[in-house]
Each structure stands twice: as structure tokens, then as C-alpha cells.
Amino acid sequence: MSPTSETAHGGRRLVIVESPAKAKTIKGYLGPGYVVEASVGHIRDLPNGAAEVPEKYTGEVRRLGVDVEHDFQPIYVVNSDKKAQVRKLKELLAESDELYLATDEDREGEAIAWHLQEVLKPKVPVHRMVFHEITKDAIRAAVANPRELNTRMVDAQETRRILDRLYGYEVSPVLWKKVMRGLSAGRVQSVATRLVVERERERIAFRSAEYWDLTGTFSTGRPGDPSDPSSLIARLNSVDGRRVAQGRDFGPDGRLKSDQVLHLDEANARALAAALTDSSFSVRSVESKPYRRSPYAPFRTTTLQQEASRKLGFGAKSTMQVAQKLYENGFITYMRTDSTTLSDTAVSAARAQVTQLYGASYLPDKPRTYAGKVKNAQEAHEAIRPSGDRFRTPAETGLSGDQFRLYELIWKRTVASQMKDAVGNSVTVRIGGTSSDGRDAEFSASGKTITFHGFMKAYVEGADDPNAELDDRERRLPQVAEGDALSAEEMSVDGHATKPPARYTEASLVKELEEREIGRPSTYASIIGTILDRGYVFKKGTALVPSFLSFAVVNLLETHFGRLVDYDFTAKMEDDLDRIAQGEAQAVPWLRRFYFGEGDDNAGAASSAGNGDGDHLGGLKELVTDLGAIDAKEISSFPVGDGIMLRVGRYGPYVERGEKDAEGHQRADVPEEMAPDELTVAYAEELLAKPSGDFELGADPVTGNQIVAKDGRYGPYVTEILPDGTPKTGKNAVKPRTASLFKSMALDTVTIDDALKLMSLPRVVGTDAEGVEITAQNGRYGPYLKKGTDSRSLTSEDQLFDITLEEALAIYAQPKQRGRAAAKPPLKELGTDPVSERPVVVKDGRFGPYVTDGETNATLRTDDSVEGITPERGYELLAEKRAKGPAKKTAKKAAKKAPAKKAPAKKATTAKKTAAKKTTAKKAAGAGTATAAKKTAAKKASASAKGSTSTDA
């Protein structure tokens, strides 16, 4: 029985939310008299293709789903997989006296509520019910204090949806024609991709610089203790008053930015160290300053994603999936918010918990307030915090796994936000001495002591840089005074090299997008998911690496649609959209200017259309109309060096030297998982030097067919060339013999004899005493023997040709191993998972390598490798797998378990099956069946409704 069916008949008030999980929780708080049902996301949207557009629409309207000639009127259709759910909602509404639309209180939720009202056409009173947390008090207060639909928010969401449809549906086909089919462009996703590509370009152009310095260990000559160490380590700061160059003094070209600093090479550094060996040193200055650190603001969407990435190894998508479950089950407040504000109730709850857990000395006299830093933030929401007027500690929640870890993070951050500052002292000590050759050398050391930890008792923020020092880290220095003599215990010489800028991680890309005011924070998780799914970006550990394909796409967009991927332009568009939401600008004139490049005299031209200047808008339609100037080969070609070009073809990236069909022409495929900054001239030469193309091995003496060796998608193989005219399809089709090369073979060394032996497989080894044939075969998982349905693995590929019947019978004489095979040793150990706190290893499984902590298994993606996978990446894969939850059993299997009870019912059952088949066939291209809709509803039960209509095409 569904969570709402027991009250369906007596229910007088219908409450509609987005997800079944949310419906179940809310129903428990409302009780009899209320029917709570889920829309399961958006029930209506722009059509996904021309087939969904009503017949009365033709031409561009049918292609775009938007009537650009008539005030950009959107064409909305009920999603085919939602028709059954809409029918159910209409039936429930017919039995109800009132309708409560209880979708989320943001633009997307307001739009879902509006679409529900438009489609259901209620004849009873309609109320907009809003809340920020799913608790008993909050839900009952929301029922008692409904409001009207906010049409301004609906219009703002609709404008974004239309804009993204026009951008995506007009620009994406250009990519199909000039780069590759199946690609997509989007207002924010294309800019996000450009950011990742630009960072990789910086890494490619980067030239490392080597620099050296000295580190001295200086002793006070007195016994030390934890509060007063006996020695300190200081780094060389200057020589003869000239500062020693550090990494920050070099530009990306490897050259010094200024000649005012001293660049030490290895020889000079070692000479200076030797000259300082017997020198006397003294303290030249001691500078002490008070240290104070204030708590971090409570979480908003982007800061939660960043911290979950740093501390828990979650991707943005995984974070939002787990947060969604916590919200729907009443543990936290709404998780899509730009606000850092806490309600009075939340502040009181946090302050009470500070006193209870840490004591009154950690509680500030007045509650702390946090001003929002996000431009045009939707301040109607609170920050993300534990729900209720009393916060449950993590131990009191009963949560486990990822949900426990994320709740704990949110709880700690919220409580810490209402605690006192951390205070202490920071100290800088400068130490000087004169070398034996008369040079003055000055060293410096910095220390920090925390005298009162304040909020740090509860929470310390992570850092994107793994080498960065966290706020609660203390560095104690000896208590010294100016003029104190010190002795040098050790003088070490250290070599360094500058490093290219770090690639973006999900956390740092979210931060960059937010700082540039590009897109809306609530959509960043879906944007990153899109560029990963489209193959524009892949992961190496936690780093986001652009594919060669993304280089071609961004090159085309920058060259021919520069304004559309300009960072300032995209940020200005976001300002415009926010002005429309606030009623300061009109949607239709703005869309007209963006699409047609036209002003509107009646609307006050550009100022009414956008942000006051209007110069950044104008003419998408014209941009995508004339494609003749776009050279497909040119935009997909990138020089590597020494006459070698990297080209992005329809079947993947490759390097090429010379023109096709010209003498000396060379070409070789580039591994798709290779990071672009790793493609050096030397590596390209190595690829070109490898054998490529087809290797003609000779003719089969029996058939006369030519035998060739090729490098295929799944590795090298040999095959025969069938004569012209050989049927390739139909009943008489002939397939060429094909066989994979052994691991010990190579394309350039395999012979015709090797090929013929490989293609002779499977080999008949003999028959057993009962006359059953035993064959030796090479399969997907390696060499094996087969006798009837009984298969046994072989230990090497060579056994395929030399194993005897006696040896085969001896193998079959052994009892067949049942269940799991003996556990193989792990391929790699990654460390302890932060969630399960169990050791994580990489293992070799039936379908390839996978990571496991003994409880959860996650297969490595195509972009991962056993050698390259990092602990953080392993933890992330496991987190994503946990977030998905266990695989659901299909309805089909359940149906098989219900046998017919009576024989006489056979005819009726047959008739029903026939009818069902006809109905299914009839509806295949249209609405779909109720069963299909139920499956879809079940599949999306725990997912946010908003993922289906992201505000970025």
C-alpha cells in the first residue's frame, strides 16, 4: 500500500510535492484528512524533440519548441512518462476540497507548482504551501499560512528555460556539423568547459623554473619542552639585503618577474651553505602580533559542495543526492540556497548546543549574524542547517554511511558558527649571520600559537590545496629575544621547481564559477555532471581534465561565438535574468534582443531589455546562420611541434605529420584518456614511430584469402579479407575469421603462421569416455576448456595449442570450484575510507578492475586506471555508488513470481496478455503505459525533481 492510499477515500485536501520520499515524510505529519502525492518532478516541459510537438505547430516552432515570432511563446507538453501520474493527480483532485501545492520554494519549485495548476485546472481553492524544513511544526505552520503563487518567480524561471533552449538548440547543431555528432552547448556548461580548457592551456604553455635556497636548524642551547622548543627551523630570506627568489617570483614562462631578487642555483646555494657552516648567528628581530580567527558562515549550496569534496571526497552530484535524502527525511533544511542566514530558532538551538557541549566560555555574548556574499541571492531560504528547534547530534539521528557523514559536517559547521573566535599569537623571528666570504645572510621563521580555540573545537574548514596549512595548526617557536645568540646545528640545501597551475577540482570549479558570478549556484552540480557525461572533461583523481574533444569545441566557440563563452558576457546575462526576476526588466524585449539583435522602442530599448547598456546582447540567430566561414579541420587542429599536428576527428584524437596521401605522411591515434598537457613532441614522435594501419601477413594456403593484422578498439587482432561479392548480410552471410592476438604478441612481429593458428581456435582437444567433446577456447576472460556446459580455466594462452587430452581430463577430474573463486590479491591499496573507515583496495573483477571497502564495490570508469587512481578518487567512486543505493528489483521479476492459481483462468489470462501487447504497441510512440510511468516514478523516488530540467541547455 502506498503512503497515501489509506487516506485517499476520506481525504479532503490534496497536497502535491515533488518526490515520493518527501510525500511519505510529510504525510506522517499531516495525518487523516490529507492526501499527499508526488508529481515526481516536472510534469510538463518544453518538448524533447519535434515528435512531441503538437501537429498544429510547424517550422522553427516545431524544431525549437519556442515560437520566436510570437513573443517567444513556449510550447509546453506533458512528459510522456508523467501522463499516468497526471491522470492519478486529476483523480485525487476530483475527490478533494482544496489543493495545496507544496513544491520547493525556489524558481524551479515555483515553476513546478505553476505547471501543476495549469495542467490540473483545479476548480477548488488552491494554496501555495512553502517551508524550508520538513518537521512537524514547519509543515503544520505551512498549511496554516499558505500564500499565492509568485508569478514573478515563474516568469524568471521560464525566461531562463527559453534562453537555454535557444542557446542549446541553435549552437549545438553547429558542433554536430563542424566537430562531432551528439555534442551539446549550453549557456553555463560551455563557459565551465572553457575554464577547464584554459587552465590546461596554461599548463601546456607553462615552463618550469628551478631555484634553490637554504634551510637552517638553529639551537638556543637550552633544554626544550612542548611550550618552549630548544630549536627552530628557518628558511633563507635574503643575502646582502637582496631577497632570495621563491616560486612566486617566477612567471609561467620560467623567467623571473623582477631582477631585484636573487636567483640561487645549486652551485651558489651549496657554496653559501659551506661558507655559513662555522658562522655565528643571532636573533635580529622578534615580531609578535595577536591572532584572531572568526567562525565560518553556515553552509550554503556551494560551500557545502566544496567542503564535502575536501573532507569527504564527495563529488558535487553525490553531495546533492545525499543532502536531498537528508532534507526529504527531515534531518536538514532545504539544501539549494544562496543564504547564510539562520533563523532565530536555529540560532537559539545552536547556542544552546554550544553551552551544552562546550561550556558557556565558548558562547559569545550576542548571536552571530552573517551577511550574504552571493549577488542576487534568494534570501527567502535559510542556510543549510540541522532541522528543528533543537538540533539532533549526529549520534542521535540513527543515520549511517554517507548520510551520517554529511549530516555531521552540516551540524558541526552550524554549531561552530555560533561560537567565539579563536585567539592566539603569530610570531616572526629573523636570524642573521655573516658567511666566511663576508656575505650577510638572513633567515626567517614564522610561528603560531592558539591560546583559546573557540569555534575550532567544533569545526575547521578544509583547503583545496593539499599542502595548505589548516587554521588550527600550531607552530611553536622557542622563546627568544632580539640579540640572543643561536648556533646552526644543520644547514641544508634545498632544490625546488615551479609547478604549473593546479587543475580544477569539482570544489575549486564551483568556487571559480561563483566568484565570476556565472550561472546559479543551485545548478553547479548538474553543470559539472553534464560536462563529465558529455566527455568534455574526465577525472584523474579529483582533478578535472579536459579531453581533446573539449579543446575543439571551445576553439570553435571562442573563434566564431566568442561573446557566448565570454565570462563577463555570461555574468551580465545572469544580472539581466535577475533583473527580470525582480521586475526591473521585461523578458520578451530582452529575449528578442538576445536572439534577433533587435531593440524594442516601446520597451525603452536596451535599458528595459537588460542591465542598462544592452551592448552585450544581440543576434544569436545571425551568428548560427552563416557557417561557411568555419573550417572544420582548422578548428579541430592544434600544433604540437616539429611539424606534428594534433587533430580531433570524429572517431577520436590523433597526431599527424604531413598531408594525407603525401610522401612521408604519418598518423597515429592518441589515447583518449591522455591529459592534453602530457602530449609532448617526444611522446607524439613515439606514437608516430609505432606500427599503425593494416599489416598484410600473407595468404591462407587453404582458402587463398589474404590475412591481415589490425589494431582495433579492443586491442590488436588478425582477420581474413573475404573476396569481393561475399554476402555480408542475410541468411547466406559469411563472417571473416577473426582472433585476438595473445598478450605476448605484437602487431609488427606477428607472422602468418601465428595468425593461422589463432584463427584455428577453438581447437578440439579430444573426447572423454562418454564421447563428449573437449575444446580449448580463448574467451573474454582468458583461455579455458569447454566440455558441454562445463568450463574450466587454463593458466596460460599457450596451453590452447599444446594441452593434451590427458591433461584436459586431469583438469576435469578435479572437483569444480563452486561459489567464489579463491580471492585474488589486491592490485593496489588506497588507504582507509573516510565513510566506512574500512581499508579500500583495487581488485580485478570479472568486468574489470574495481574499488572496494569490503561493503561497497565500484567499477573503475574508462578514464581511471589501476596505476593512476588516487585514494581520493577511490573514495569518491565508493561515495557515488553508495549515493545511488542498492539496485532496485524490476517489476518484471516480481511478475514472474505470481503463478496463475486456477487452470480455467488460462483463456482469460491469454486474452489479457494479447490486449496488453496491443495496448503497449499502440502507446509505444506516445504516452507509454502506466507501468512504465510507475517504474520511472520508482526510479526517481529519491532524486530531486529539478534534475530533469536544468537551467542550462
Side-chain angles (χ1 to χ4, degrees):
M1 181 179 288
S2 73
T4 60
S5 59
E6 62 188 12
T7 59
H9 295 294
R12 304 296 292 176
R13 299 176 182 88
L14 174 61
V15 179
I16 302 179
V17 298
E18 295 98 320
S19 73
K22 190 175 173 182
K24 183 177 180 181
T25 306
I26 291 174
K27 180 194 173 296
Y29 296 138
L30 293 177
Y34 291 87
V35 177
V36 187
E37 187 57 61
S39 67
V40 195
H42 276 273
I43 61 165
R44 194 171 73 154
D45 193 13
L46 298 176
N48 286 324
E52 293 186 2
V53 180
E55 292 297 328
K56 63 180 180 179
Y57 297 105
T58 59
E60 287 293 275
V61 182
R62 195 168 189 80
R63 180 176 71 87
L64 296 173
V66 177
D67 190 346
V68 297
E69 299 294 344
H70 294 87
D71 291 341
F72 295 87
Q73 188 68 32
I75 311 303
Y76 289 120
V77 296
V78 175
N79 303 21
S80 60
D81 61 342
K82 297 295 173 62
K83 290 186 177 181
Q85 190 66 12
V86 169
R87 191 160 51 247
K88 180 179 180 180
L89 292 173
K90 287 182 176 179
E91 291 169 357
L92 291 173
L93 181 60
E95 301 172 356
S96 303
D97 298 319
E98 292 179 86
L99 173 63
Y100 286 82
L101 300 173
T103 51
D104 294 332
E105 191 187 14
D106 56 11
R107 293 189 193 100
E108 206 74 22
E110 207 73 14
I112 293 174
W114 178 76
H115 282 294
L116 283 166
Q117 184 168 327
E118 291 291 302
V119 172
L120 298 180
K121 296 180 171 51
K123 297 178 181 178
V124 297
V126 180
H127 310 287
R128 180 72 173 102
M129 174 179 161
V130 294
F131 43 87
H132 312 310
E133 59 183 348
I134 304 177
T135 61
K136 188 173 185 178
D137 290 343
I139 296 303
R140 292 188 172 182
V143 171
N145 300 282
R147 64 165 172 79
E148 297 296 317
L149 265 173
N150 187 329
T151 55
R152 188 177 290 173
M153 288 178 71
V154 174
D155 291 344
Q157 190 275 344
E158 183 174 79
T159 304
R160 288 171 182 272
R161 190 77 185 98
I162 294 170
L163 168 65
D164 291 331
R165 171 54 64 98
L166 296 175
Y167 191 123
Y169 272 49
E170 291 289 18
V171 181
S172 296
V174 179
L175 301 181
W176 304 345
K177 294 174 185 176
K178 299 298 182 177
V179 182
M180 186 186 297
R181 292 289 302 179
L183 301 180
S184 72
R187 178 172 56 90
V188 181
Q189 65 155 287
S190 295
V191 175
T193 303
R194 183 189 173 200
L195 280 169
V196 180
V197 168
E198 283 202 332
R199 180 59 56 86
E200 196 72 8
R201 287 172 179 164
E202 292 172 10
R203 291 174 62 88
I204 292 171
F206 181 82
R207 296 296 176 264
S208 183
E210 186 182 82
Y211 62 96
W212 291 73
D213 59 14
L214 275 61
T215 301
T217 302
F218 300 94
S219 173
T220 62
R222 62 176 183 262
D225 58 53
S227 64
D228 183 19
S230 62
S231 63
L232 75 161
I233 297 174
R235 188 171 294 280
L236 180 66
N237 184 63
S238 64
V239 178
D240 288 336
R242 193 174 173 195
R243 187 170 62 80
V244 175
Q246 298 295 309
R248 64 181 181 275
D249 296 307
F250 294 90
D253 58 357
R255 298 179 180 181
L256 281 173
K257 298 176 183 176
S258 168
D259 58 4
Q260 300 300 308
V261 295
L262 175 63
H263 182 193
L264 287 179
D265 58 20
E266 182 178 7
N268 287 327
R270 292 193 181 280
L272 179 59
L276 289 169
T277 303
D278 299 322
S279 298
S280 297
F281 294 89
S282 63
V283 177
R284 291 185 174 174
S285 68
V286 178
E287 184 180 3
S288 179
K289 294 180 180 179
Y291 167 84
R292 179 175 292 273
R293 185 73 171 86
S294 297
Y296 322 99
F299 282 131
R300 59 182 190 272
T301 301
T302 53
T303 52
L304 177 64
Q305 291 171 359
Q306 291 168 50
E307 274 293 86
S309 175
R310 298 166 185 147
K311 288 184 176 290
L312 307 181
F314 291 0
K317 184 177 180 181
S318 296
T319 299
M320 297 311 290
Q321 287 174 336
V322 177
Q324 180 89 25
K325 291 177 183 177
L326 289 173
Y327 166 67
E328 290 179 342
N329 289 293
F331 289 103
I332 64 171
T333 53
Y334 190 55
M335 67 287 157
R336 290 187 181 88
T337 175
D338 302 329
S339 176
T340 55
T341 303
L342 291 177
S343 66
D344 293 341
T345 301
V347 169
S348 298
R351 287 175 63 85
Q353 211 147 46
V354 170
T355 305
Q356 176 189 349
L357 298 176
Y358 301 101
S361 62
Y362 284 83
L363 188 71
D365 295 335
K366 295 180 180 179
R368 290 185 178 274
T369 58
Y370 296 88
K373 294 182 179 179
V374 180
K375 192 174 181 180
N376 296 315
Q378 298 184 62
E379 295 292 345
H381 299 153
E382 275 192 79
I384 304 169
R385 62 164 177 88
S387 60
D389 55 9
R390 177 194 170 274
F391 295 165
R392 286 168 282 188
T393 65
E396 292 173 330
T397 61
L399 295 168
S400 61
D402 291 348
Q403 291 188 46
F404 176 89
R405 299 282 291 178
L406 193 64
Y407 179 86
E408 183 181 47
L409 195 71
I410 294 166
W411 174 78
K412 284 182 176 180
R413 178 90 164 211
T414 308
V415 172
S417 73
Q418 291 301 315
M419 295 175 72
K420 281 186 176 179
D421 290 352
V423 295
N425 294 288
S426 61
V427 181
T428 301
V429 176
R430 294 190 181 276
I431 303 162
T434 304
S435 66
S436 59
D437 56 6
R439 287 183 285 177
D440 179 78
E442 187 172 274
F443 293 76
S444 67
S446 296
K448 180 177 72 176
T449 57
I450 301 174
T451 56
F452 178 72
H453 280 78
F455 75 93
M456 291 182 184
K457 280 284 188 182
Y459 187 86
V460 177
E461 189 171 72
D464 291 322
D465 182 357
N467 299 316
E469 188 175 88
L470 299 183
D471 286 338
D472 63 342
R473 175 74 183 275
E474 288 189 298
R475 298 184 309 279
R476 289 187 177 272
L477 300 182
Q479 295 177 17
V480 294
E482 187 175 330
D484 285 357
L486 300 175
S487 60
E489 292 183 342
E490 182 182 358
M491 195 66 65
S492 61
V493 178
D494 304 316
H496 311 274
T498 56
K499 295 180 180 180
R503 291 190 178 101
Y504 287 109
T505 62
E506 289 197 31
S508 60
L509 182 58
V510 164
K511 185 177 181 181
E512 184 75 15
L513 288 168
E514 187 173 34
E515 287 179 350
R516 290 179 179 268
E517 299 175 358
I518 293 170
R520 299 307 308 164
S522 60
T523 66
Y524 290 159
S526 63
I527 293 301
I528 292 174
T530 298
I531 64 177
L532 285 166
D533 293 341
R534 296 291 184 187
Y536 294 149
V537 171
F538 61 93
K539 282 190 171 184
K540 279 201 169 182
T542 58
L544 298 174
V545 185
S547 63
F548 290 106
L549 174 64
S550 68
F551 270 68
V553 169
V554 170
N555 192 27
L556 185 151
L557 293 175
E558 286 176 333
T559 305
H560 299 279
F561 303 95
R563 188 174 72 252
L564 297 183
V565 288
D566 179 79
Y567 303 130
D568 291 338
F569 166 75
T570 309
K572 284 181 178 179
M573 278 206 298
E574 206 62 53
D575 287 344
D576 293 349
L577 291 166
D578 285 326
R579 285 176 176 273
I580 291 170
Q582 294 158 11
E584 298 172 6
Q586 300 174 36
V588 172
W590 188 89
L591 286 168
R592 185 177 294 118
R593 188 171 182 83
F594 170 77
Y595 191 70
F596 291 114
E598 301 172 357
D600 189 329
D601 295 336
N602 296 326
S607 60
S608 294
N611 64 0
D613 57 33
D615 293 338
H616 60 286
L617 298 175
L620 173 65
K621 183 64 176 174
E622 184 179 352
L623 280 175
V624 300
T625 300
D626 182 14
L627 304 181
I630 301 178
D631 186 323
K633 184 175 182 180
E634 182 180 342
I635 60 103
S636 296
S637 300
F638 308 91
V640 177
D642 289 356
I644 302 172
M645 296 292 289
L646 179 283
R647 303 196 195 279
V648 180
R650 291 187 179 272
Y651 304 104
Y654 61 94
V655 285
E656 185 176 46
R657 174 184 276 143
E659 292 297 322
K660 190 177 180 181
D661 300 327
E663 187 177 350
H665 173 256
Q666 292 175 289
R667 171 176 166 156
D669 290 337
V670 175
E672 291 195 29
E673 69 278 5
M674 168 178 270
D677 74 336
E678 296 172 2
L679 183 60
T680 61
V681 174
Y683 187 78
E685 293 280 12
E686 185 180 326
L687 290 174
L688 292 172
K690 286 183 178 180
S692 61
D694 297 353
F695 287 80
E696 294 186 5
L697 304 180
D700 182 339
V702 177
T703 64
N705 294 338
Q706 284 294 319
I707 308 299
V708 296
K710 297 186 175 187
D711 193 9
R713 183 178 180 184
Y714 302 105
Y717 66 99
V718 290
T719 187
E720 64 179 334
I721 306 299
L722 298 176
D724 293 340
T726 303
K728 297 180 180 180
T729 58
K731 290 190 298 181
N732 300 320
V734 178
K735 291 186 176 181
R737 292 174 295 159
T738 300
S740 297
L741 266 60
F742 284 176
K743 294 177 182 177
S744 58
M745 298 176 178
L747 277 175
D748 54 344
T749 58
V750 68
T751 66
I752 181 66
D753 292 334
D754 294 331
L756 293 175
K757 284 180 69 177
L758 291 170
M759 291 192 297
S760 70
L761 295 173
R763 177 175 75 91
V764 177
V765 179
T767 58
D768 67 3
E770 298 176 354
V772 180
E773 190 175 77
I774 300 174
T775 57
Q777 305 189 27
N778 201 11
R780 179 179 179 183
Y781 307 111
Y784 66 98
L785 293 173
K786 186 171 184 181
K787 183 179 73 167
T789 58
D790 191 355
S791 299
R792 305 294 177 95
S793 296
L794 295 174
T795 56
S796 72
E797 292 172 321
D798 291 335
Q799 285 183 285
L800 290 170
F801 297 118
D802 57 29
I803 191 169
T804 64
L805 177 60
E806 291 72 20
E807 292 170 334
L809 292 173
I811 291 174
Y812 276 104
Q814 301 295 321
K816 185 168 185 178
Q817 190 175 22
R818 298 293 177 184
R820 292 180 179 271
K824 299 178 182 178
L827 302 177
K828 191 173 185 179
E829 296 181 358
L830 299 180
T832 302
D833 184 78
V835 176
S836 66
E837 297 183 351
R838 296 168 64 95
V840 177
V841 296
V842 183
K843 288 190 172 184
D844 191 13
R846 182 179 179 187
F847 301 106
Y850 65 97
V851 290
T852 179
D853 63 353
E855 294 178 347
T856 306
N857 300 337
T859 303
L860 267 61
R861 308 289 167 76
T862 54
D863 299 327
D864 298 315
S865 67
V866 175
E867 298 78 15
I869 191 168
T870 63
E872 292 77 15
R873 175 58 173 159
Y875 307 152
E876 181 183 22
L877 289 172
L878 291 174
E880 289 177 357
K881 186 64 179 288
R882 292 189 198 102
K884 291 180 180 178
K888 292 181 172 60
K889 293 182 179 179
T890 63
K892 187 176 181 180
K893 288 186 178 179
K896 286 183 178 179
K897 293 181 181 178
K901 290 184 178 179
K902 298 179 181 179
K906 186 174 182 182
K907 289 184 179 179
T909 304
T910 305
K912 286 180 181 177
K913 286 182 178 178
T914 305
K917 286 181 180 177
K918 288 181 180 178
T919 304
T920 303
K922 186 176 181 181
K923 296 183 179 180
T929 64
T931 303
K934 286 178 182 177
K935 286 182 181 177
T936 304
K939 187 175 181 182
K940 297 182 179 177
S942 62
S944 167
K946 300 171 188 173
S948 60
T949 55
S950 164
T951 54
D952 184 47

